[in-house]
């Protein structure tokens, strides 16, 4: 669902079905196995912290979307023609539904109704609000006024970024992750996309890949500080950040090559 947004309006339906089946089988499923299946799996054995899918879902899908968009090419008229959203109220409704639904898989990744699930709900809310405010502030400073679509996109960036950390970060860590993701995803979706000239229709790379990278790396910081649950015995914050960075680089390589 995420990957499709990067190349919307440029792939035939039959090709989309074939691509989706192949990508799910050969890129997504092995990645999920490597992170979550237990001892003997590559990234599990590294000690990667990914509570609800920062590497498995967001970086994986974001890099895949960018790769597909680059292979297929730009939409006709891009970037000269203005291609606004079809319906801003619908976009806001969609963002609101995502925000609510996100509690389901972040808290649900605890696999129980316990304290970890409750903290995941709180960190998800805090990070999302912080990212929405950060994006709005950046947009206000750069363009002279905020926009509803910008606030919604910033919220999604916060949801993405807190996903890997939702079970290990505390509220203060969630604030850091959300604010950082809101600002960096704004720059990626506006400045970086214009600088490099790629046509990512719905900013899948700028929001999901970049937000996922921010969240995955900061998970190593926020699990060990700012009210986090703590790191495994013998692992320092610097050591965990290195493990998280390795997982990010591996995911980018795996997804880009497989896609």
């Amino acid at each position: 669902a995420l990957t499709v947004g990067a190349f919307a309006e440029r792939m035939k339906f039959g090709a989309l079905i074939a691509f989706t089946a192949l990508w799910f089988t050969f890129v997504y499923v092995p990645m999920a196995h490597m992170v979550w299946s237990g001892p003997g799996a590559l990234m599990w054995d590294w000690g990667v912290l990914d509570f609800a899918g920062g590497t498995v879902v967001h970086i994986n899908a974001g890099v895949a979307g960018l790769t597909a968009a680059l292979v297929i090419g730009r939409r006709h008229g891009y970037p000269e023609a203005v291609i606004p959203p079809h319906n801003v109220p619908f976009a806001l409704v969609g963002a609101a539904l995502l925000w609510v639904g996100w509690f389901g898989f972040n808290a649900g990744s605890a696999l129980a109704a316990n304290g970890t699930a409750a903290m995941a709900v709180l960190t998800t809310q805090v990070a999302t609000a912080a990212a929405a405010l950060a994006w709005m502030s950046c947009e206000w400073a750069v363009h002279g006024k905020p926009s509803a679509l910008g606030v919604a996109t910033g919220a999604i960036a916060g949801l993405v970024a807190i996903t890997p950390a939702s079970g290990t970060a505390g509220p203060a860590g969630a604030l850091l992750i959300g604010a950082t993701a809101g600002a960096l995803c704004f720059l990626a979706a506006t400045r970086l996309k214009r600088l490099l000239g790629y046509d990512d229709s719905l900013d899948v790379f700028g929001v999901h890949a970049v937000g996922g990278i921010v969240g995955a790396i900061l998970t190593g910081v926020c699990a060990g500080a700012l009210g986090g649950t703590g790191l495994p015995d013998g692992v320092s914050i610097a050591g965990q950040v290195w493990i998280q960075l390795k997982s990010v680089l591996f995911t980018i390589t795996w997804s880009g090559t497989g896609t």
Side-chain angles (χ1 to χ4, degrees), residues 82-117:
V82 177
I83 310 175
H86 167 67
N87 189 308
V88 172
F90 281 3
L92 295 178
V93 169
L97 291 170
L98 272 175
W99 193 327
V100 172
W102 223 280
F103 295 122
F105 64 79
N106 273 7
S109 293
L111 305 179
N114 55 20
T116 300

Short mmCIF file of all heavy atoms in Angstrom, two decimals, residues 82-117:
data_model
loop_
_atom_site.label_atom_id
_atom_site.label_comp_id
_atom_site.label_asym_id
_atom_site.label_seq_id
_atom_site.Cartn_x
_atom_site.Cartn_y
_atom_site.Cartn_z
N VAL A 82 1.49 21.90 -12.30
CA VAL A 82 1.07 21.78 -10.90
C VAL A 82 0.10 20.61 -10.79
O VAL A 82 -0.88 20.53 -11.52
CB VAL A 82 0.41 23.08 -10.41
CG1 VAL A 82 -0.10 22.93 -8.98
CG2 VAL A 82 1.39 24.24 -10.52
N ILE A 83 0.38 19.67 -9.90
CA ILE A 83 -0.49 18.50 -9.73
C ILE A 83 -0.96 18.49 -8.28
O ILE A 83 -0.39 17.80 -7.43
CB ILE A 83 0.26 17.19 -10.08
CG1 ILE A 83 0.95 17.32 -11.44
CG2 ILE A 83 -0.69 15.99 -10.07
CD1 ILE A 83 1.82 16.12 -11.80
N PRO A 84 -2.01 19.27 -7.97
CA PRO A 84 -2.46 19.37 -6.57
C PRO A 84 -3.24 18.14 -6.14
O PRO A 84 -3.68 17.34 -6.98
CB PRO A 84 -3.37 20.60 -6.61
CG PRO A 84 -3.93 20.60 -7.99
CD PRO A 84 -2.83 20.06 -8.88
N PRO A 85 -3.43 17.97 -4.83
CA PRO A 85 -4.28 16.87 -4.37
C PRO A 85 -5.69 17.01 -4.93
O PRO A 85 -6.20 18.12 -5.06
CB PRO A 85 -4.28 17.03 -2.85
CG PRO A 85 -3.11 17.88 -2.53
CD PRO A 85 -2.90 18.76 -3.72
N HIS A 86 -6.32 15.89 -5.24
CA HIS A 86 -7.67 15.93 -5.79
C HIS A 86 -8.66 16.51 -4.80
O HIS A 86 -9.57 17.27 -5.16
CB HIS A 86 -8.11 14.52 -6.20
CG HIS A 86 -9.57 14.39 -6.48
ND1 HIS A 86 -10.16 15.01 -7.55
CD2 HIS A 86 -10.55 13.74 -5.81
CE1 HIS A 86 -11.47 14.74 -7.55
NE2 HIS A 86 -11.73 13.97 -6.50
N ASN A 87 -8.50 16.17 -3.50
CA ASN A 87 -9.49 16.56 -2.51
C ASN A 87 -8.80 16.65 -1.14
O ASN A 87 -8.51 15.62 -0.53
CB ASN A 87 -10.63 15.53 -2.49
CG ASN A 87 -11.79 15.98 -1.63
OD1 ASN A 87 -11.62 16.34 -0.48
ND2 ASN A 87 -12.99 15.93 -2.19
N VAL A 88 -8.54 17.87 -0.69
CA VAL A 88 -7.82 18.04 0.58
C VAL A 88 -8.62 17.51 1.77
O VAL A 88 -8.06 16.85 2.65
CB VAL A 88 -7.42 19.52 0.77
CG1 VAL A 88 -6.85 19.74 2.18
CG2 VAL A 88 -6.37 19.92 -0.26
N PRO A 89 -9.95 17.76 1.87
CA PRO A 89 -10.70 17.16 2.99
C PRO A 89 -10.57 15.63 3.04
O PRO A 89 -10.43 15.05 4.12
CB PRO A 89 -12.14 17.59 2.73
CG PRO A 89 -12.01 18.88 2.00
CD PRO A 89 -10.81 18.69 1.12
N PHE A 90 -10.61 14.97 1.88
CA PHE A 90 -10.43 13.52 1.87
C PHE A 90 -9.03 13.14 2.36
O PHE A 90 -8.87 12.14 3.07
CB PHE A 90 -10.63 12.96 0.46
CG PHE A 90 -12.08 12.81 0.05
CD1 PHE A 90 -13.11 13.22 0.89
CD2 PHE A 90 -12.41 12.27 -1.18
CE1 PHE A 90 -14.43 13.10 0.52
CE2 PHE A 90 -13.74 12.13 -1.57
CZ PHE A 90 -14.76 12.54 -0.73
N ALA A 91 -8.03 13.93 1.98
CA ALA A 91 -6.67 13.65 2.45
C ALA A 91 -6.59 13.76 3.97
O ALA A 91 -5.93 12.95 4.63
CB ALA A 91 -5.68 14.61 1.79
N LEU A 92 -7.28 14.75 4.53
CA LEU A 92 -7.27 14.92 5.98
C LEU A 92 -8.02 13.79 6.67
O LEU A 92 -7.60 13.32 7.74
CB LEU A 92 -7.88 16.28 6.36
CG LEU A 92 -7.10 17.51 5.89
CD1 LEU A 92 -7.82 18.79 6.30
CD2 LEU A 92 -5.70 17.51 6.48
N VAL A 93 -9.13 13.36 6.08
CA VAL A 93 -9.85 12.20 6.63
C VAL A 93 -8.94 10.97 6.61
O VAL A 93 -8.87 10.21 7.59
CB VAL A 93 -11.14 11.93 5.84
CG1 VAL A 93 -11.74 10.58 6.23
CG2 VAL A 93 -12.15 13.04 6.06
N GLY A 94 -8.23 10.77 5.51
CA GLY A 94 -7.31 9.63 5.42
C GLY A 94 -6.22 9.70 6.47
O GLY A 94 -5.88 8.69 7.10
N ALA A 95 -5.66 10.89 6.68
CA ALA A 95 -4.62 11.04 7.70
C ALA A 95 -5.17 10.74 9.09
O ALA A 95 -4.51 10.10 9.92
CB ALA A 95 -4.04 12.45 7.66
N ALA A 96 -6.39 11.19 9.36
CA ALA A 96 -7.01 10.93 10.66
C ALA A 96 -7.23 9.43 10.87
O ALA A 96 -6.98 8.89 11.96
CB ALA A 96 -8.34 11.67 10.77
N LEU A 97 -7.70 8.74 9.82
CA LEU A 97 -7.90 7.29 9.92
C LEU A 97 -6.57 6.57 10.15
O LEU A 97 -6.50 5.62 10.93
CB LEU A 97 -8.59 6.77 8.66
CG LEU A 97 -10.04 7.20 8.45
CD1 LEU A 97 -10.52 6.81 7.05
CD2 LEU A 97 -10.94 6.56 9.50
N LEU A 98 -5.52 7.03 9.46
CA LEU A 98 -4.20 6.44 9.68
C LEU A 98 -3.73 6.64 11.12
O LEU A 98 -3.21 5.71 11.74
CB LEU A 98 -3.18 7.06 8.73
CG LEU A 98 -3.03 6.43 7.35
CD1 LEU A 98 -2.07 7.25 6.51
CD2 LEU A 98 -2.52 5.01 7.47
N TRP A 99 -3.92 7.84 11.63
CA TRP A 99 -3.47 8.15 12.99
C TRP A 99 -4.15 7.21 13.99
O TRP A 99 -3.50 6.64 14.87
CB TRP A 99 -3.81 9.61 13.30
CG TRP A 99 -3.15 10.18 14.53
CD1 TRP A 99 -2.84 9.53 15.69
CD2 TRP A 99 -2.74 11.54 14.72
NE1 TRP A 99 -2.26 10.41 16.59
CE2 TRP A 99 -2.20 11.64 16.02
CE3 TRP A 99 -2.80 12.68 13.92
CZ2 TRP A 99 -1.71 12.85 16.53
CZ3 TRP A 99 -2.32 13.87 14.43
CH2 TRP A 99 -1.76 13.95 15.72
N VAL A 100 -5.45 7.01 13.83
CA VAL A 100 -6.17 6.09 14.72
C VAL A 100 -5.70 4.65 14.52
O VAL A 100 -5.42 3.92 15.47
CB VAL A 100 -7.69 6.20 14.49
CG1 VAL A 100 -8.43 5.11 15.28
CG2 VAL A 100 -8.21 7.57 14.89
N GLY A 101 -5.60 4.24 13.27
CA GLY A 101 -5.22 2.86 12.98
C GLY A 101 -3.82 2.52 13.44
O GLY A 101 -3.54 1.36 13.79
N TRP A 102 -2.95 3.53 13.48
CA TRP A 102 -1.55 3.29 13.85
C TRP A 102 -1.42 2.77 15.27
O TRP A 102 -0.53 1.99 15.59
CB TRP A 102 -0.74 4.57 13.69
CG TRP A 102 0.60 4.37 13.06
CD1 TRP A 102 1.74 3.92 13.66
CD2 TRP A 102 0.96 4.64 11.70
NE1 TRP A 102 2.78 3.90 12.77
CE2 TRP A 102 2.33 4.34 11.55
CE3 TRP A 102 0.26 5.12 10.60
CZ2 TRP A 102 3.01 4.49 10.35
CZ3 TRP A 102 0.94 5.29 9.40
CH2 TRP A 102 2.29 4.96 9.27
N PHE A 103 -2.34 3.18 16.16
CA PHE A 103 -2.31 2.65 17.52
C PHE A 103 -2.48 1.13 17.51
O PHE A 103 -1.94 0.43 18.37
CB PHE A 103 -3.43 3.26 18.37
CG PHE A 103 -3.28 4.75 18.59
CD1 PHE A 103 -4.27 5.63 18.19
CD2 PHE A 103 -2.15 5.25 19.22
CE1 PHE A 103 -4.13 7.00 18.40
CE2 PHE A 103 -2.02 6.61 19.44
CZ PHE A 103 -3.01 7.49 19.02
N GLY A 104 -3.23 0.63 16.53
CA GLY A 104 -3.50 -0.79 16.46
C GLY A 104 -2.23 -1.60 16.28
O GLY A 104 -1.98 -2.57 17.02
N PHE A 105 -1.40 -1.23 15.29
CA PHE A 105 -0.23 -2.09 15.06
C PHE A 105 0.98 -1.69 15.89
O PHE A 105 1.84 -2.53 16.14
CB PHE A 105 0.10 -2.27 13.57
CG PHE A 105 0.51 -1.03 12.83
CD1 PHE A 105 1.78 -0.52 12.93
CD2 PHE A 105 -0.40 -0.41 11.98
CE1 PHE A 105 2.15 0.60 12.22
CE2 PHE A 105 -0.01 0.71 11.26
CZ PHE A 105 1.25 1.22 11.39
N ASN A 106 1.06 -0.42 16.34
CA ASN A 106 2.15 -0.10 17.27
C ASN A 106 1.91 -0.74 18.64
O ASN A 106 2.74 -1.49 19.14
CB ASN A 106 2.32 1.41 17.41
CG ASN A 106 3.23 1.99 16.34
OD1 ASN A 106 3.65 1.30 15.42
ND2 ASN A 106 3.54 3.27 16.45
N ALA A 107 0.76 -0.47 19.23
CA ALA A 107 0.45 -1.08 20.53
C ALA A 107 0.24 -2.59 20.37
O ALA A 107 0.65 -3.37 21.23
CB ALA A 107 -0.78 -0.43 21.12
N GLY A 108 -0.37 -2.99 19.26
CA GLY A 108 -0.63 -4.41 19.04
C GLY A 108 0.62 -5.24 18.90
O GLY A 108 0.60 -6.46 19.12
N SER A 109 1.73 -4.59 18.56
CA SER A 109 2.99 -5.33 18.42
C SER A 109 3.51 -5.83 19.77
O SER A 109 4.45 -6.63 19.82
CB SER A 109 4.04 -4.46 17.74
OG SER A 109 3.68 -4.21 16.39
N ALA A 110 2.91 -5.36 20.87
CA ALA A 110 3.25 -5.91 22.19
C ALA A 110 2.68 -7.32 22.35
O ALA A 110 3.10 -8.06 23.25
CB ALA A 110 2.72 -5.01 23.30
N LEU A 111 1.69 -7.67 21.51
CA LEU A 111 1.05 -8.99 21.54
C LEU A 111 0.36 -9.27 22.87
O LEU A 111 0.13 -10.43 23.24
CB LEU A 111 2.06 -10.11 21.23
CG LEU A 111 2.83 -9.95 19.91
CD1 LEU A 111 3.80 -11.11 19.73
CD2 LEU A 111 1.88 -9.84 18.73
N ALA A 112 0.03 -8.21 23.62
CA ALA A 112 -0.69 -8.36 24.89
C ALA A 112 -1.21 -6.99 25.31
O ALA A 112 -0.72 -5.96 24.84
CB ALA A 112 0.24 -8.91 25.97
N ALA A 113 -2.22 -6.99 26.18
CA ALA A 113 -2.72 -5.73 26.74
C ALA A 113 -1.95 -5.46 28.03
O ALA A 113 -2.41 -5.77 29.13
CB ALA A 113 -4.22 -5.83 27.00
N ASN A 114 -0.75 -4.90 27.88
CA ASN A 114 0.13 -4.73 29.03
C ASN A 114 0.74 -3.33 29.05
O ASN A 114 0.35 -2.46 28.27
CB ASN A 114 1.22 -5.80 29.02
CG ASN A 114 2.02 -5.81 27.71
OD1 ASN A 114 2.02 -4.83 26.97
ND2 ASN A 114 2.69 -6.92 27.44
N GLY A 115 1.71 -3.12 29.91
CA GLY A 115 2.33 -1.82 30.03
C GLY A 115 3.08 -1.39 28.78
O GLY A 115 3.11 -0.20 28.44
N THR A 116 3.67 -2.34 28.09
CA THR A 116 4.38 -2.01 26.85
C THR A 116 3.39 -1.48 25.80
O THR A 116 3.67 -0.50 25.10
CB THR A 116 5.10 -3.26 26.30
OG1 THR A 116 6.05 -3.71 27.27
CG2 THR A 116 5.83 -2.93 25.00
N ALA A 117 2.23 -2.12 25.70
CA ALA A 117 1.22 -1.66 24.75
C ALA A 117 0.72 -0.26 25.12
O ALA A 117 0.55 0.61 24.25
CB ALA A 117 0.05 -2.64 24.72
#
